Amino acid sequence: MRKIRIEIKDQDYLDFLSICIDEELTVEAKLKNIIQYHLIIYRNRKKMKNKKLL
């Protein structure tokens, strides 16, 4: 497991926090959801490229 540290502006964090609160998630959980979403998209694109090659 890796630890990721990012720096963002205070206002950006507060805006992101309000999104998380609306969705009843922690900031960490929302970030994990975003990462999972992008991984799924990336892997599906790879699969589509492989299918086109066959």
Side-chain angles (χ1 to χ4, degrees), residues 33-45:
N33 287 349
I34 291 169
I35 291 169
Q36 284 293 81
Y37 169 81
H38 284 283
L39 288 173
I40 290 168
I41 296 298
Y42 171 76
R43 290 175 181 149
N44 286 341
R45 284 184 184 158

Side-chain angles (χ1 to χ4, degrees), residues 11-49:
Q11 187 58 46
D12 292 341
Y13 177 78
L14 293 174
D15 291 341
F16 189 74
L17 181 60
S18 68
I19 293 168
C20 296
I21 291 171
D22 288 344
E23 296 181 12
E24 297 179 359
L25 294 171
T26 64
V27 171
E28 293 84 3
K30 182 64 175 172
L31 288 171
K32 286 179 185 178
N33 287 349
I34 291 169
I35 291 169
Q36 284 293 81
Y37 169 81
H38 284 283
L39 288 173
I40 290 168
I41 296 298
Y42 171 76
R43 290 175 181 149
N44 286 341
R45 284 184 184 158
K46 266 178 71 172
K47 286 180 188 176
M48 292 302 292
K49 286 181 184 177

